[in-house]
Amino acid sequence: PPPGLLQVVKQCVRVPVFVMIRPRGGDFLYSDREVEVMKADIRLAKLHGADGLVFGALTEDGRIDTELCTALLAVCRPLPVTFHRAFDMVHDPVVALETLISLGFERVLTSGCDSSALEGLSLIKRLAEQAKGRIVVVPGGGITERNLQRILEGSTASEFHCSARSARDSGMKFRNPNVAMGASFSAPEYSIKVADVAKVRTLNAIAKNIL
């Protein structure tokens, strides 16, 4: 998020706010200039009150980029750091998990190297067992109020990640149907994705009942 968004969010909520450091979409193989941007974004996030950071970086052969992660972790400290779903693109998740533990990541977000946490549930459980409390394995990817209980019970996870969003229609009365301000496959111009309070409360209630 831009610093302005982080600053306003910090004024509005009391829960810890972790900031994702991701200079672009696409893969997780970053250029030297992109690394400069990531380091600058980390410093800005810390300056504006981030309680933790989230990032991920891989080598071209699908392994954790230990050199880059070590450098970024140094900029992040003393804040806790989560390795995000770049983990789901690794060549060997068992080896990758040990690498993250040795580097000092506090959490790893994963869908179990599959299209969703539900599809990757068996691997998430194996990773949690492998971790043995040395790192928090956080299921994420396609989690909803319909499948959260199954995922938490099936993975033995103590935390989870989801967007809990719904679509909200734009307040615009005048609409130009001939122009789209993005790619042809992007979200509709007059529909906004927002965090859904009801969904958050429902998910929270389900989790509290299980954990």
Side-chain angles (χ1 to χ4, degrees):
L5 176 58
L6 173 59
Q7 203 166 21
V8 173
V9 167
K10 286 291 294 183
Q11 292 168 2
C12 295
V13 303
R14 288 192 290 263
V15 296
V17 177
F18 280 44
V19 172
M20 185 163 75
I21 304 300
R22 181 129 160 79
R24 56 163 173 77
D27 63 33
F28 305 99
L29 183 66
Y30 296 113
S31 69
D32 291 343
R33 287 297 189 200
E34 287 169 336
V35 171
E36 287 181 31
V37 172
M38 294 170 83
K39 289 179 177 178
D41 282 342
I42 292 169
R43 294 187 185 101
L44 283 170
K46 290 172 71 176
L47 183 66
H48 291 283
D51 299 292
L53 286 307
V54 182
F55 68 80
L58 304 178
T59 60
E60 61 183 14
D61 56 353
R63 289 170 170 76
I64 305 296
D65 189 333
T66 55
E67 184 178 349
L68 175 52
C69 285
T70 298
L72 294 177
L73 281 165
V75 184
C76 291
R77 296 308 188 198
L79 298 181
V81 185
T82 298
F83 194 94
H84 61 42
R85 286 189 61 202
F87 183 86
D88 293 323
M89 308 302 283
V90 298
H91 176 72
D92 186 332
V94 171
V95 172
L97 187 68
E98 293 300 324
T99 301
L100 296 183
I101 292 168
S102 68
L103 288 171
F105 282 90
E106 280 79 9
R107 289 177 179 81
V108 55
L109 173 63
T110 179
S111 63
C113 300
D114 216 317
S115 56
S116 71
L118 193 59
E119 297 289 334
L121 191 54
S122 60
L123 178 58
I124 295 172
K125 183 179 181 181
R126 292 202 304 273
L127 291 170
E129 291 168 349
Q130 177 188 341
K132 296 176 181 175
R134 296 175 294 161
I135 190 171
V136 179
V137 177
V138 183
I143 293 181
T144 69
E145 56 269 36
R146 294 183 298 277
N147 60 28
L148 176 60
Q149 181 172 346
R150 182 176 169 189
I151 289 169
L152 289 180
E153 291 177 345
S155 65
T156 69
S158 59
E159 300 180 14
F160 68 97
H161 166 83
C162 65
S163 61
R165 291 182 301 179
S166 62
R168 184 181 72 197
D169 192 48
S170 166
M172 288 291 297
K173 288 185 171 57
F174 172 77
R175 302 186 179 192
N176 184 349
N178 301 315
V179 179
M181 296 296 173
S184 57
F185 296 108
S186 64
E189 206 64 45
Y190 297 102
S191 178
I192 306 165
K193 288 283 190 178
V194 296
D196 188 317
V197 174
K199 286 185 178 182
V200 172
R201 285 179 174 151
T202 300
L203 289 157
N204 203 24
I206 293 169
K208 284 183 175 179
N209 189 48
I210 297 169
L211 300 177

Short mmCIF file of all heavy atoms in Angstrom, two decimals, residues 43-73:
data_model
loop_
_atom_site.label_atom_id
_atom_site.label_comp_id
_atom_site.label_asym_id
_atom_site.label_seq_id
_atom_site.Cartn_x
_atom_site.Cartn_y
_atom_site.Cartn_z
N ARG A 43 11.40 0.84 4.36
CA ARG A 43 11.73 1.97 5.24
C ARG A 43 10.53 2.89 5.43
O ARG A 43 10.27 3.37 6.54
CB ARG A 43 12.92 2.74 4.65
CG ARG A 43 14.23 1.93 4.63
CD ARG A 43 15.41 2.79 4.20
NE ARG A 43 16.62 1.99 4.06
CZ ARG A 43 17.10 1.56 2.89
NH1 ARG A 43 16.49 1.90 1.76
NH2 ARG A 43 18.20 0.82 2.83
N LEU A 44 9.79 3.15 4.35
CA LEU A 44 8.60 4.00 4.43
C LEU A 44 7.52 3.35 5.28
O LEU A 44 6.85 4.03 6.09
CB LEU A 44 8.06 4.30 3.04
CG LEU A 44 8.82 5.35 2.23
CD1 LEU A 44 8.33 5.37 0.78
CD2 LEU A 44 8.65 6.74 2.86
N ALA A 45 7.34 2.04 5.11
CA ALA A 45 6.33 1.34 5.90
C ALA A 45 6.66 1.41 7.38
O ALA A 45 5.78 1.65 8.22
CB ALA A 45 6.24 -0.12 5.44
N LYS A 46 7.91 1.23 7.73
CA LYS A 46 8.32 1.31 9.13
C LYS A 46 8.11 2.73 9.66
O LYS A 46 7.64 2.93 10.79
CB LYS A 46 9.79 0.90 9.28
CG LYS A 46 10.03 -0.58 9.04
CD LYS A 46 11.51 -0.92 8.99
CE LYS A 46 12.18 -0.83 10.35
NZ LYS A 46 13.59 -1.24 10.30
N LEU A 47 8.43 3.71 8.84
CA LEU A 47 8.30 5.12 9.23
C LEU A 47 6.85 5.48 9.53
O LEU A 47 6.57 6.27 10.43
CB LEU A 47 8.84 6.01 8.11
CG LEU A 47 8.86 7.52 8.36
CD1 LEU A 47 9.84 7.87 9.48
CD2 LEU A 47 9.24 8.26 7.09
N HIS A 48 5.91 4.85 8.79
CA HIS A 48 4.50 5.18 8.95
C HIS A 48 3.74 4.18 9.81
O HIS A 48 2.51 4.11 9.76
CB HIS A 48 3.85 5.33 7.57
CG HIS A 48 4.32 6.54 6.83
ND1 HIS A 48 3.87 7.82 7.11
CD2 HIS A 48 5.24 6.69 5.84
CE1 HIS A 48 4.47 8.69 6.31
NE2 HIS A 48 5.30 8.03 5.53
N GLY A 49 4.47 3.42 10.61
CA GLY A 49 3.83 2.63 11.66
C GLY A 49 3.51 1.19 11.39
O GLY A 49 2.73 0.58 12.13
N ALA A 50 4.09 0.59 10.34
CA ALA A 50 3.83 -0.83 10.09
C ALA A 50 4.26 -1.66 11.30
O ALA A 50 5.27 -1.38 11.93
CB ALA A 50 4.60 -1.29 8.84
N ASP A 51 3.46 -2.67 11.62
CA ASP A 51 3.77 -3.56 12.74
C ASP A 51 4.53 -4.80 12.28
O ASP A 51 5.03 -5.57 13.11
CB ASP A 51 2.48 -3.98 13.43
CG ASP A 51 1.74 -2.79 14.00
OD1 ASP A 51 2.25 -2.16 14.95
OD2 ASP A 51 0.66 -2.45 13.47
N GLY A 52 4.60 -5.01 10.98
CA GLY A 52 5.31 -6.15 10.42
C GLY A 52 5.36 -6.00 8.91
O GLY A 52 4.65 -5.16 8.34
N LEU A 53 6.21 -6.79 8.27
CA LEU A 53 6.36 -6.73 6.82
C LEU A 53 6.11 -8.10 6.21
O LEU A 53 6.26 -9.13 6.88
CB LEU A 53 7.76 -6.27 6.43
CG LEU A 53 8.16 -4.79 6.60
CD1 LEU A 53 7.16 -3.88 5.93
CD2 LEU A 53 8.36 -4.40 8.04
N VAL A 54 5.75 -8.09 4.93
CA VAL A 54 5.46 -9.32 4.19
C VAL A 54 6.12 -9.23 2.82
O VAL A 54 5.89 -8.28 2.08
CB VAL A 54 3.93 -9.51 4.00
CG1 VAL A 54 3.64 -10.83 3.29
CG2 VAL A 54 3.20 -9.44 5.33
N PHE A 55 6.96 -10.20 2.48
CA PHE A 55 7.54 -10.22 1.14
C PHE A 55 7.97 -11.64 0.80
O PHE A 55 7.92 -12.55 1.63
CB PHE A 55 8.74 -9.26 1.03
CG PHE A 55 9.96 -9.65 1.84
CD1 PHE A 55 10.84 -10.61 1.38
CD2 PHE A 55 10.23 -9.04 3.06
CE1 PHE A 55 11.97 -10.96 2.12
CE2 PHE A 55 11.34 -9.38 3.80
CZ PHE A 55 12.22 -10.35 3.33
N GLY A 56 8.38 -11.83 -0.44
CA GLY A 56 8.91 -13.12 -0.88
C GLY A 56 9.77 -12.91 -2.10
O GLY A 56 9.49 -12.04 -2.93
N ALA A 57 10.85 -13.69 -2.22
CA ALA A 57 11.74 -13.58 -3.37
C ALA A 57 12.32 -14.95 -3.69
O ALA A 57 12.71 -15.68 -2.78
CB ALA A 57 12.86 -12.57 -3.07
N LEU A 58 12.37 -15.26 -4.98
CA LEU A 58 12.86 -16.56 -5.42
C LEU A 58 14.01 -16.40 -6.41
O LEU A 58 14.18 -15.35 -7.03
CB LEU A 58 11.74 -17.34 -6.11
CG LEU A 58 10.45 -17.58 -5.31
CD1 LEU A 58 9.44 -18.32 -6.18
CD2 LEU A 58 10.72 -18.33 -4.02
N THR A 59 14.78 -17.47 -6.55
CA THR A 59 15.81 -17.53 -7.58
C THR A 59 15.16 -18.05 -8.86
O THR A 59 14.04 -18.56 -8.84
CB THR A 59 16.96 -18.46 -7.17
OG1 THR A 59 16.43 -19.79 -6.98
CG2 THR A 59 17.61 -17.98 -5.89
N GLU A 60 15.90 -17.97 -9.96
CA GLU A 60 15.32 -18.38 -11.25
C GLU A 60 15.00 -19.88 -11.30
O GLU A 60 14.17 -20.32 -12.10
CB GLU A 60 16.24 -18.00 -12.40
CG GLU A 60 17.60 -18.67 -12.33
CD GLU A 60 18.53 -18.22 -13.46
OE1 GLU A 60 18.22 -17.22 -14.13
OE2 GLU A 60 19.56 -18.88 -13.64
N ASP A 61 15.64 -20.68 -10.42
CA ASP A 61 15.37 -22.12 -10.42
C ASP A 61 14.36 -22.53 -9.36
O ASP A 61 14.24 -23.70 -9.00
CB ASP A 61 16.67 -22.92 -10.26
CG ASP A 61 17.46 -22.55 -9.02
OD1 ASP A 61 17.07 -21.59 -8.33
OD2 ASP A 61 18.45 -23.24 -8.71
N GLY A 62 13.61 -21.55 -8.83
CA GLY A 62 12.50 -21.87 -7.94
C GLY A 62 12.89 -22.16 -6.51
O GLY A 62 12.17 -22.89 -5.81
N ARG A 63 13.97 -21.58 -6.06
CA ARG A 63 14.37 -21.73 -4.66
C ARG A 63 14.24 -20.38 -3.95
O ARG A 63 14.15 -19.34 -4.58
CB ARG A 63 15.80 -22.27 -4.56
CG ARG A 63 15.90 -23.73 -4.99
CD ARG A 63 17.34 -24.21 -5.12
NE ARG A 63 17.40 -25.66 -5.30
CZ ARG A 63 17.13 -26.31 -6.42
NH1 ARG A 63 16.75 -25.63 -7.50
NH2 ARG A 63 17.19 -27.62 -6.50
N ILE A 64 14.25 -20.41 -2.62
CA ILE A 64 14.22 -19.15 -1.86
C ILE A 64 15.51 -18.38 -2.15
O ILE A 64 16.60 -18.95 -2.07
CB ILE A 64 14.12 -19.43 -0.35
CG1 ILE A 64 12.91 -20.32 -0.03
CG2 ILE A 64 14.05 -18.12 0.43
CD1 ILE A 64 11.57 -19.73 -0.34
N ASP A 65 15.38 -17.11 -2.48
CA ASP A 65 16.57 -16.27 -2.71
C ASP A 65 17.11 -15.85 -1.35
O ASP A 65 16.73 -14.81 -0.80
CB ASP A 65 16.19 -15.05 -3.56
CG ASP A 65 17.41 -14.27 -4.03
OD1 ASP A 65 18.45 -14.32 -3.34
OD2 ASP A 65 17.31 -13.59 -5.07
N THR A 66 18.00 -16.66 -0.82
CA THR A 66 18.50 -16.43 0.54
C THR A 66 19.29 -15.13 0.65
O THR A 66 19.19 -14.43 1.66
CB THR A 66 19.38 -17.60 1.01
OG1 THR A 66 20.44 -17.82 0.06
CG2 THR A 66 18.57 -18.87 1.13
N GLU A 67 20.06 -14.80 -0.38
CA GLU A 67 20.86 -13.57 -0.34
C GLU A 67 19.98 -12.33 -0.28
O GLU A 67 20.16 -11.46 0.57
CB GLU A 67 21.78 -13.50 -1.56
CG GLU A 67 22.72 -12.30 -1.55
CD GLU A 67 23.66 -12.28 -2.74
OE1 GLU A 67 23.74 -13.29 -3.47
OE2 GLU A 67 24.33 -11.23 -2.93
N LEU A 68 18.98 -12.28 -1.15
CA LEU A 68 18.09 -11.13 -1.17
C LEU A 68 17.22 -11.09 0.09
O LEU A 68 17.03 -10.02 0.69
CB LEU A 68 17.20 -11.16 -2.41
CG LEU A 68 16.13 -10.07 -2.51
CD1 LEU A 68 16.72 -8.69 -2.32
CD2 LEU A 68 15.40 -10.17 -3.85
N CYS A 69 16.69 -12.24 0.51
CA CYS A 69 15.85 -12.28 1.71
C CYS A 69 16.63 -11.81 2.94
O CYS A 69 16.10 -11.08 3.78
CB CYS A 69 15.30 -13.68 1.93
SG CYS A 69 13.96 -14.11 0.79
N THR A 70 17.89 -12.23 3.03
CA THR A 70 18.73 -11.81 4.16
C THR A 70 18.89 -10.29 4.18
O THR A 70 18.78 -9.65 5.23
CB THR A 70 20.11 -12.47 4.09
OG1 THR A 70 19.94 -13.90 4.17
CG2 THR A 70 21.01 -12.02 5.23
N ALA A 71 19.11 -9.72 3.00
CA ALA A 71 19.29 -8.26 2.90
C ALA A 71 17.99 -7.52 3.25
O ALA A 71 18.02 -6.51 3.98
CB ALA A 71 19.74 -7.88 1.49
N LEU A 72 16.86 -8.03 2.78
CA LEU A 72 15.58 -7.38 3.07
C LEU A 72 15.18 -7.55 4.53
O LEU A 72 14.64 -6.63 5.16
CB LEU A 72 14.48 -7.93 2.16
CG LEU A 72 14.62 -7.62 0.67
CD1 LEU A 72 13.51 -8.29 -0.12
CD2 LEU A 72 14.63 -6.12 0.40
N LEU A 73 15.45 -8.71 5.10
CA LEU A 73 15.17 -8.95 6.51
C LEU A 73 15.92 -7.97 7.40
O LEU A 73 15.40 -7.47 8.39
CB LEU A 73 15.53 -10.38 6.90
CG LEU A 73 14.52 -11.46 6.50
CD1 LEU A 73 15.16 -12.84 6.60
CD2 LEU A 73 13.27 -11.41 7.38
#
